[in-house]
């Protein structure tokens, strides 16, 4: 089965894999942007991941830390069965384990959410905006605290090298979905709440 089909087979009944994510997974897999981890898992599929850069850039310290993979539920210790039915993790998006997940709210609407150091917030209900966000090229999208800052501005502030954008990934999104990749997350209408701000999730 394809990576997308494997994810679909593992999602709880109340969640669905967004079409835009499935199409993206198919393209990444076709490009050979796949890798595997050697950590032992009961489910071997959970060792697999898809990168937004060629595999040779997997350990490049200046490349955006994004890898699509599947984990049931949220990145929390011993989540309740109700939580497991409403959340599934689809990507790691920071070096310390920050993730991107899909979550179903009380009204049945599915959202893309971020867990930053274990603190969750709703990013967007639009999967295409979530993909645009990842394509901007932040070093650690899951650790972003200011959506008004571009990746280059963030690197300059941190005294780090300029980041190489995921060019092929960007070109695919533009060609396939007609989406423009902005300079910063705020250009997408995204806002990163503070750790203490109330959030639907």
């Amino acid at each position: 089965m394809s990576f997308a089909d494997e994810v679909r087979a593992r999602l709880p009944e109340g969640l669905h894999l967004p079409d835009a994510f499935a199409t993206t997974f198919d393209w990444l897999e076709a490009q050979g942007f796949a890798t595997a981890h050697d950590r032992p898992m009961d489910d071997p599929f959970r060792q697999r991941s898809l990168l937004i850069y060629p595999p040779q850039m997997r350990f490049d310290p200046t490349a955006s830390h994004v890898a699509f993979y599947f984990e049931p539920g949220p990145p929390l210790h011993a989540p309740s069965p109700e939580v497991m039915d409403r959340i599934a993790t689809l990507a790691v998006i920071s070096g310390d384990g920050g993730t991107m997940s899909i979550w179903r709210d009380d009204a049945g609407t599915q959202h893309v959410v971020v867990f930053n150091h274990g603190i969750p917030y709703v990013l967007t209900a639009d999967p295409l905006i979530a993909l645009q966000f990842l394509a901007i090229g932040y070093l650690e999208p899951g650790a972003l605290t200011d959506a008004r800052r571009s990746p280059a501005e963030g690197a300059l502030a941190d005294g780090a090298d300029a980041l190489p954008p995921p060019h092929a990934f960007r070109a695919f999104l533009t060609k396939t979905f007609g989406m423009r990749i902005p300079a910063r997350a705020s250009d997408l209408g995204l806002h990163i709440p503070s750790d203490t701000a109330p959030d639907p999730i």
Side-chain angles (χ1 to χ4, degrees):
M1 286 198 294
S2 70
F3 190 94
D5 285 340
E6 294 274 13
V7 171
R8 287 191 187 99
R10 289 163 173 79
L11 287 175
E13 186 176 342
L15 295 176
H16 66 273
L17 180 65
D19 290 342
F21 274 66
T23 300
T24 299
F25 290 171
D26 289 345
W27 180 81
L28 293 172
E29 198 167 21
Q31 303 311 300
F33 288 9
T35 187
H37 304 278
D38 57 6
R39 60 182 185 273
M41 290 285 179
D42 294 337
D43 180 358
F45 174 67
R46 291 174 57 194
Q47 294 178 299
R48 293 170 55 190
S49 60
L50 298 175
L51 310 176
I52 62 171
Y53 294 87
Q56 60 266 29
M57 293 186 67
R58 176 180 175 187
F59 299 110
D60 189 322
T62 66
S64 183
H65 196 110
V66 175
F68 292 105
Y69 80 111
F70 177 79
E71 180 179 340
L76 303 175
H77 175 68
S80 69
E82 181 191 14
V83 170
M84 294 293 289
D85 286 342
R86 296 174 61 171
I87 303 176
T89 301
L90 296 184
V92 58
I93 57 173
S94 70
D96 64 357
T99 63
M100 176 174 282
S101 306
I102 50 177
W103 167 68
R104 175 174 50 84
D105 67 17
D106 291 341
T109 301
Q110 186 168 285
H111 304 267
V112 178
V113 301
V114 171
F115 282 80
N116 179 4
H117 294 92
I119 299 172
Y121 65 89
V122 173
L123 183 71
T124 177
D126 187 340
L128 288 176
I129 289 180
L131 291 171
Q132 284 175 290
F133 172 63
L134 296 180
I136 292 173
Y138 290 106
L139 181 61
E140 294 186 286
L144 185 66
T145 57
D146 187 352
R148 299 167 298 179
R149 180 179 283 183
S150 71
E153 290 165 344
L156 182 63
D158 295 337
D161 294 332
L163 309 178
H167 294 294
F169 182 59
R170 287 178 162 209
F172 158 75
L173 294 178
T174 298
K175 179 180 179 180
T176 304
F177 303 110
M179 59 172 57
R180 179 183 63 86
I181 309 303
R184 50 187 56 82
S186 60
D187 295 336
L188 294 170
L190 298 178
H191 169 72
I192 313 299
S194 69
D195 291 351
T196 58
D199 194 85
I201 190 172

